[in-house]
Amino acid sequence: MAAIAITREALTALRRRAIAWITRGETPDARRVVLTRRRIYILPTRAGYGFGLVLIVMLLGATNYSNSMAFALTFLLGSLGLNAMWQTHRNLLRLEVLIEGVAPVFAGQQARLRVAVVNPGRQARPGIRLRAGDQSPVTVDAPAQGRIETDLPLSAPLRGLHPVGRLRVDSQFPLGLFEAWSWPAYTTGLLVYPRPADDAPPVPSGRRVGGEGASVRGEGDEFAGLRKYQAGDAPGQVAWKALARSNQWMTKEFEGQRSEDRWLRWDDLGAFGIEQRLSILCRWVLDAHRDGIPYGLELPGLTLAPEASEAHRHACLKALALHAAPNRRVAP
Amino acid sequence: MKGRPVPIMDLPEIHLRWVAVALAAAILPHVLNLPVWIPLLALAMIAWGWWGLRRRQLPGRLLRFGLVGIATLGVLAEFHTLFGRDAGVALLVLMLGLKILELKGRRDALLALFLAYFVVAGQFFFTQSIPIALAMLLSVLLITGALIGLAGTARPLPARRRLGIAGSLLAQSIPMMILLFVLFPRLPGPLWAMPRDSSAGLTGLSDQMSPGRISDLIQSNAPAFRATFEGLPPPTSQRYWRGPVLDHYDGRSWQRALRLGETAQVTFAEAAGIDYSVTLQPSGQRWLLALDYPGQVPPGAELTPALELVAPRPQHEVRQYRMRSYPDAALDLELSPWSRARHLRLPEDSAPRARELAQAWLLDHDDPAAIVEQALDHFREQPFHYTLRPPLLTGDPVDEFLFESRRGFCEHYASSFTVLMRAAGIPARVVTGYLGGEISPLADYLLVRQSDAHAWSEVWLEGRGWVRIDPTAAIAPERIEQGVSAALGEDSGLPAFVRASYGASWLNRASMSWDIVNYYWDEWVLAFGPERQRELLERLGLHRLGWTAIALILMAGLAALLGLYVLVYRWRNRPRFSNEIERLLHGLERLLARQGFLRRPGETVTALALRAAKQRPDWQETLHRLVEQLQRARYREDPLDPRTAEALLRELQAKRNPPGAG
């Protein structure tokens, strides 16, 4: 089993290097690649080889019987194959493949890459298949002088900011006898947050971490603002007026609660390895965000002040994703 | 047995429907060639497959195996073999029908469609006529349309679109096909043994003549061959086309004898030659027909001592050859004793009354020529009758015909005349072939049909060699002058085309016009084999180049056609602008795009240009001037000076590398 796995890995590596060598003249772009003649490759498919075999047998039969019409049919089908070849090539030619965006994901999840195919030609280009890595392909029909968008699954095994890299765009249209393909490469980054730990220690409470002057929940005296209601909030804190106005459950926060801000600290997790720490911190960020309680993040060399917003969550997770990550040539 | 629901495949149902239609289109024309139950059974299975697809039910494996068994046994019962042309094609057709019952996915569908191309090719082993060729185009169109469905589009293409794509692919392929047809190096076949049944269904002269054989041929309207003469064609009465010469008589039928150690001795005056070419229909026989007497041998053929032209193999394909004949040639002025004996031989007990009659003539005349005349007079004076439907002869065929029935046609007359001659001590033999033919009213060729089949005699006379004597001429001279229909009159339940009134009818005119089309088809398409290819290359002056050079020419031709298609495609897809401003905007956008400035959704080209100008100080001035010009032209309708705008664009182009960037 192990041997097989190793061989497969070696083959994959070999394949990768072969592709890299073939595409050495192609420069990756941030997000837009036009499939020019130099970027398009073409070979017969298995069906194409089968078709070739049929033609050879037919040619032998025609020769044996000196049958003129059998010759004519063989040559007609041969020409059909030749024409299918350039039409398949043409089906990709001058298509633009654009990366429209990709939302950050957690390591191990599947990202969804938003891709647009723009067809500048006057004829529709049916049967354009797109694929990222070894994920399952998606087929689109690009309308004449129009564009079509689709989501491609993209695997994200490791945290960090990774370039989207090479896509494979191929087509067998019209006859399925040839496959034309291209490997447009992109530097647009895919941000992968660390994988949230499954069994993390509980999120540190503000009091224990903050230490000084923390007051009991709801007992502060200066009104500080509203936040989302969470199960367990005291009825006295519920902003009833707001509920009546907008039918939304909100909880009043008072000045005194500020001191309860949570700090998620790298240094508190000294017992764990780097990736594990990041995993736990990620889980904490998610939990704290869910609770709607402001939290701050402290990493070596980076401190993010407590806050409780979507942007803050992203900033924290991004900081975790990029922590001590090797530099990559990636467009922001 | 009930159909089991089958998990239906990775393909939308519509693609499978297309496959079913394509297979049916490949099978249907075989109704003409095969015993009718075979294509019908295959079509029934396709109908079943169609119905099963709708119900999402296909027969289970056991039932399918049963059907394969039944199909195989049926073919075996029909043909007594599974090999050869007929049984092979029949099996292929049935298997194609069965294939639809086990379509599970794309691979099965592809296989079925490739097999369907094969089945289409199979038709041409039965007939290569123009209608079948057109049917082939239709089948190929449908099969290709089905193939397009399997090429993986996101949603199935509508039928019109598919057929449109298939049609344009085919239209592009036809010029290439013609190029390949003409230049692709042809090898002379066969590469392996011909199946024995490959001549089934063909008609032609056989190498023996027994009562009734030629009258079968006469009932056939099919063309035997067509001939084009370089000068004027000879008159009808001189158009004796020589086929097999029969010199061995066994009391009932005539056969070709072995002629060991003999050679033909022909004496002719070179100037009297007639030059012509013959396009021979497939006959399943080895005879190449030529006017009496052939003076040259087509490549690959040989000339026998009796001046028959024999091809090395039975002719299954249309073949064309050039010929030169000498009607006045003298044949075998000397006759070897051995040959003389052979041409006098009669079976001991055959035709006693005919022998008696010949002996009586021998007593009256010394001169063999006089005996010949006497015999012809006998046919003229006695109440002989020319008919294609003679009574069945049960006794000695010659005696019974000469003295009792006296009704018959060429083969009866030729046979009994030859027997009489031999009995009178004159070397004689039967020659079969064709007589006459019809000059096409519109094109310059002679059409000889199977119904022109004929038999006559040759007698050997001292000092003159072999002399052609046609006893039928004594009874029915109009047969010789005008053909078989004139000789028969308005008889008799025979096919219309052998009746006298047929020749002038509109039906015959239409049939002759259609024959012209067939003539060119045969001559330019079907007869195009290695020989004609060589001939054509010679005419084009390419024959000295060798096959490597011709293959290169062929590839260059194909590449040129492909290039032409690409050019036409690009021309049809060229950007079109309704005015100068649009053209310039397009140029500007492309220029900017190449530098990485892409239009955002909703952004105009000019807005893009202004954005680019902010980032590229080196372009700033030029861009601003260009944008101003364009906007003025568009919104204030100031006249645009394209030359200035063009110059600005070029200026941008010249400065396309940002300052400081490598």
Side-chain angles (χ1 to χ4, degrees):
Chain A
M1 281 306 278
I4 291 172
I6 288 167
T7 319
R8 189 168 300 159
E9 221 162 83
L11 279 177
T12 313
L14 206 64
R15 208 180 115 79
R16 219 176 265 277
R17 288 182 58 172
I19 293 176
W21 183 78
I22 292 167
T23 59
R24 67 199 177 284
E26 304 173 4
T27 46
D29 191 273
R31 51 173 289 262
R32 172 185 182 270
V33 173
V34 178
L35 307 185
T36 52
R37 210 171 290 282
R38 295 184 51 187
R39 283 181 181 271
I40 299 176
Y41 309 89
I42 188 164
L43 275 180
T45 57
R46 274 172 65 157
Y49 287 115
F51 187 74
L53 198 68
V54 166
L55 289 189
I56 288 171
V57 174
M58 230 184 242
L59 188 66
L60 288 177
T63 304
N64 192 53
Y65 289 82
S66 308
N67 190 309
S68 282
M69 285 317 289
F71 272 116
L73 178 59
T74 311
F75 295 147
L76 181 69
L77 294 180
S79 310
L80 209 62
L82 265 182
N83 281 308
M85 180 173 74
W86 82 266
Q87 298 225 347
T88 304
H89 185 265
R90 190 202 75 189
N91 205 38
L92 287 189
L93 196 62
R94 303 230 48 91
L95 282 184
E96 286 171 30
V97 182
L98 298 125
I99 304 292
E100 291 292 320
V102 53
V105 286
F106 296 96
Q109 279 187 337
Q110 216 172 41
R112 303 208 70 79
L113 187 63
R114 189 77 185 154
V115 176
V117 176
V118 178
N119 173 13
R122 274 160 208 277
Q123 281 172 17
R125 311 284 186 90
I128 309 295
R129 205 165 60 149
L130 303 138
R131 176 205 292 256
D134 51 2
Q135 300 295 302
S136 52
V138 174
T139 304
V140 296
D141 298 334
Q145 290 183 314
R147 61 187 276 143
I148 185 155
E149 291 191 13
T150 186
D151 283 327
L152 290 190
L154 180 64
S155 66
L158 298 172
R159 71 176 177 90
L161 183 63
H162 307 288
V164 164
R166 225 168 359 234
L167 299 186
R168 187 184 152 103
V169 182
D170 60 52
S171 179
Q172 300 188 358
F173 190 82
L175 291 191
L177 304 179
F178 288 89
E179 180 169 277
W181 75 93
S182 184
W183 282 299
Y186 303 90
T187 51
T188 296
L190 160 64
L191 188 60
V192 184
Y193 304 145
R195 177 202 297 273
D198 293 328
D199 45 356
V203 185
S205 78
R207 218 172 320 189
R208 204 187 64 207
V209 177
E212 110 286 336
S215 52
V216 184
R217 184 178 287 184
E219 281 184 1
D221 34 38
E222 212 170 314
F223 178 70
L226 290 174
R227 66 164 169 81
K228 247 192 206 147
Y229 173 81
Q230 283 179 344
D233 285 346
Q237 272 179 277
V238 173
W240 296 108
K241 278 182 197 158
L243 179 63
R245 244 194 336 268
S246 63
N247 206 20
Q248 274 198 323
W249 287 78
M250 304 299 273
T251 300
K252 286 182 278 190
E253 281 186 323
F254 298 92
E255 187 60 31
Q257 280 178 307
R258 282 266 170 204
S259 58
E260 218 192 340
D261 288 351
R262 299 167 177 195
W263 279 97
L264 316 176
R265 290 200 173 93
W266 173 267
D267 293 336
D268 289 351
L269 293 166
F272 299 97
I274 296 176
E275 291 305 319
Q276 245 177 323
R277 284 196 209 186
L278 292 168
S279 250
I280 294 169
L281 286 169
C282 175
R283 168 60 62 197
W284 282 354
V285 168
L286 295 181
D287 289 353
H289 181 75
R290 187 197 57 210
D291 293 345
I293 299 164
Y295 55 92
L297 179 68
E298 222 180 77
L299 292 174
L302 179 87
T303 306
L304 293 170
E307 216 180 302
S309 66
E310 200 58 50
H312 182 62
R313 171 182 177 270
H314 173 69
C316 292
L317 291 174
K318 184 176 176 186
L320 294 175
L322 298 180
H323 176 74
N327 276 336
R328 290 196 172 87
R329 195 161 55 97
V330 166
Chain B
M1 189 172 170
K2 209 174 155 262
R4 222 158 13 95
V6 168
I8 298 227
M9 34 215 133
D10 51 346
L11 285 176
E13 194 181 312
I14 178 74
H15 295 328
L16 298 165
R17 302 240 175 266
W18 270 85
V19 172
V21 170
L23 301 196
I27 290 169
L28 194 60
H30 280 284
V31 171
L32 300 173
N33 312 321
L34 294 172
V36 82
W37 69 267
I38 291 168
L40 286 188
L41 181 59
L43 288 173
M45 286 190 267
I46 286 173
W48 184 3
W50 178 283
W51 176 82
L53 284 177
R54 178 174 306 157
R55 301 265 312 264
R56 305 247 146 188
Q57 278 188 344
L58 287 176
R61 177 190 296 232
L62 204 62
L63 188 52
R64 286 206 314 271
F65 280 142
L67 283 170
V68 171
I70 290 171
T72 315
L73 285 178
V75 169
L76 210 52
E78 182 78 46
F79 301 104
H80 309 291
T81 172
L82 292 179
F83 304 100
R85 181 193 71 176
D86 292 359
V89 173
L91 267 182
L92 205 59
V93 165
L94 285 172
M95 293 308 143
L96 192 60
L98 280 165
K99 190 77 202 153
I100 194 105
L101 297 181
E102 54 161 24
L103 281 186
K104 292 226 184 60
R106 184 163 179 269
R107 272 187 53 165
D108 288 319
L110 281 172
L111 194 66
L113 290 176
F114 292 169
L115 209 60
Y117 281 132
F118 244 101
V119 167
V120 172
Q123 301 207 6
F124 297 128
F125 297 110
F126 296 93
T127 162
Q128 305 189 60
S129 66
I130 297 174
I132 288 294
L134 293 176
M136 174 268 270
L137 279 182
L138 189 67
S139 308
V140 169
L141 181 77
L142 287 170
I143 299 170
T144 309
L147 211 51
I148 288 171
L150 300 177
T153 51
R155 37 181 74 231
L157 295 173
R160 271 187 58 186
R161 186 83 205 290
R162 275 182 206 231
L163 290 179
I165 293 169
S168 80
L169 269 171
L170 271 181
Q172 288 162 4
S173 302
I174 284 172
M176 296 173 136
M177 171 188 80
I178 293 169
L179 199 63
L180 282 163
F181 190 84
V182 173
L183 290 183
F184 191 89
R186 300 284 188 89
L187 297 172
L191 304 173
W192 63 87
M194 287 276 192
R196 251 170 299 150
D197 60 356
S198 48
S199 20
L202 298 176
T203 48
L205 297 168
S206 100
D207 57 358
Q208 67 161 6
M209 186 176 87
S210 45
R213 176 80 190 150
I214 284 184
S215 74
D216 286 349
L217 273 187
I218 292 181
Q219 307 254 0
S220 163
N221 195 23
F225 59 90
R226 300 183 183 84
T228 319
F229 292 90
E230 246 145 66
L232 279 177
T236 318
S237 58
Q238 292 301 309
R239 289 184 214 137
Y240 279 89
W241 298 90
R242 195 178 185 86
V245 175
L246 312 177
D247 42 17
H248 177 78
Y249 183 59
D250 66 2
R252 273 208 87 76
S253 65
W254 288 88
Q255 279 132 26
R256 292 176 77 222
L258 283 174
R259 304 166 189 131
L260 299 169
E262 291 178 43
T263 47
Q265 307 153 32
V266 194
T267 326
F268 51 77
E270 186 61 46
I274 301 177
D275 287 306
Y276 56 99
S277 74
V278 175
T279 313
L280 188 66
Q281 291 293 310
S283 60
Q285 306 283 347
R286 294 169 57 198
W287 319 118
L288 305 180
L289 279 299
L291 269 185
D292 257 352
Y293 299 93
Q296 95 190 30
V297 187
E302 73 179 288
L303 192 65
T304 68
L307 288 199
E308 302 152 298
L309 284 173
V310 184
R313 277 179 297 274
Q315 301 293 298
H316 296 299
E317 300 308 322
V318 175
R319 163 164 187 168
Q320 198 189 43
Y321 50 90
R322 294 183 174 286
M323 273 310 295
R324 168 168 260 239
S325 287
Y326 300 92
D328 302 324
L331 179 55
D332 286 348
L333 287 174
E334 303 289 322
L335 197 63
S336 69
W338 193 82
S339 175
R340 182 184 176 84
R342 200 157 56 71
H343 286 107
L344 287 172
R345 194 173 299 146
L346 285 175
E348 286 299 320
D349 50 353
S350 73
R353 294 177 66 188
R355 284 176 199 232
E356 255 171 55
L357 182 64
Q359 295 298 328
W361 291 340
L362 200 52
L363 291 179
D364 291 348
H365 308 276
D366 291 338
D367 180 17
I371 295 176
V372 170
E373 272 315 306
Q374 174 73 52
L376 290 176
D377 282 345
H378 177 80
F379 283 125
R380 268 184 220 116
E381 284 155 15
Q382 301 292 319
F384 281 97
H385 187 69
Y386 184 82
T387 173
L388 285 185
R389 296 199 298 180
L392 194 63
L393 304 175
T394 48
D396 183 280
V398 171
D399 276 4
E400 202 178 334
F401 169 71
L402 279 178
F403 302 104
E404 283 157 40
S405 74
R406 294 193 177 97
R407 297 167 70 82
F409 53 95
C410 60
E411 68 180 26
H412 296 85
Y413 293 103
S415 169
S416 47
F417 179 82
T418 310
V419 168
L420 282 169
M421 289 301 106
R422 286 190 176 186
I426 304 171
R429 60 192 182 187
V430 172
V431 184
T432 59
Y434 296 87
L435 171 64
E438 192 173 357
I439 300 280
S440 169
L442 301 173
D444 197 15
Y445 67 88
L446 177 78
L447 167 66
V448 178
R449 300 176 191 274
Q450 295 296 357
S451 55
D452 293 315
H454 192 53
W456 59 92
S457 294
E458 276 181 349
V459 295
W460 188 84
L461 300 175
E462 192 68 49
R464 291 172 64 190
W466 288 106
V467 177
R468 180 173 63 227
I469 307 289
D470 189 349
T472 312
I475 297 98
E478 41 318 329
R479 164 70 186 93
I480 314 306
E481 301 294 338
Q482 293 154 44
V484 67
S485 51
L488 286 170
E490 249 342 83
D491 189 15
S492 57
L494 286 167
F497 61 86
V498 284
R499 286 190 222 151
S501 59
Y502 181 72
S505 71
W506 65 268
L507 202 60
N508 187 39
R509 281 199 304 277
S511 131
M512 286 306 284
S513 316
W514 175 234
D515 190 74
I516 291 168
V517 180
N518 279 311
Y519 168 68
Y520 288 115
W521 178 253
D522 285 357
E523 177 154 336
W524 288 106
V525 181
L526 301 190
F528 195 89
E531 288 155 34
R532 290 222 66 195
Q533 190 177 41
R534 200 177 315 124
E535 216 178 281
L536 183 77
L537 291 178
E538 265 167 39
R539 214 178 297 171
L540 295 174
L542 298 174
H543 59 293
R544 285 203 203 93
L545 290 177
W547 282 119
T548 323
I550 287 169
L552 284 176
I553 291 175
L554 177 59
M555 279 190 256
L558 291 178
L561 276 173
L562 275 180
L564 181 71
Y565 296 157
V566 172
L567 282 181
V568 168
Y569 170 78
R570 279 175 54 174
W571 184 77
R572 279 169 57 182
N573 280 276
R574 72 196 182 278
R576 269 167 269 196
F577 311 107
S578 51
N579 58 44
E580 199 61 22
I581 304 174
E582 268 186 32
R583 195 180 62 78
L584 287 165
L585 282 172
H586 178 79
L588 179 59
E589 186 183 1
R590 283 186 53 168
L591 184 82
L592 291 172
R594 253 175 268 144
Q595 299 299 311
F597 296 104
L598 291 177
R599 214 141 44 108
R600 293 175 182 152
E603 195 176 36
T604 62
V605 177
T606 42
L608 167 75
L610 293 176
R611 180 158 64 85
K614 272 187 211 144
Q615 290 177 39
R616 290 284 297 267
D618 58 319
W619 274 1
Q620 205 165 14
E621 199 206 322
T622 325
L623 269 179
H624 278 300
R625 277 173 56 200
L626 185 57
V627 167
E628 196 191 329
Q629 277 227 6
L630 288 168
Q631 279 180 338
R632 267 205 205 144
R634 171 160 284 181
Y635 300 112
R636 282 176 38 187
E637 292 176 8
D638 283 0
L640 175 80
D641 183 357
R643 265 179 308 144
T644 329
E646 203 80 64
L648 289 170
L649 263 181
R650 270 202 300 278
E651 207 172 301
L652 286 174
Q653 185 99 39
K655 288 194 277 187
R656 63 179 170 273
N657 292 321

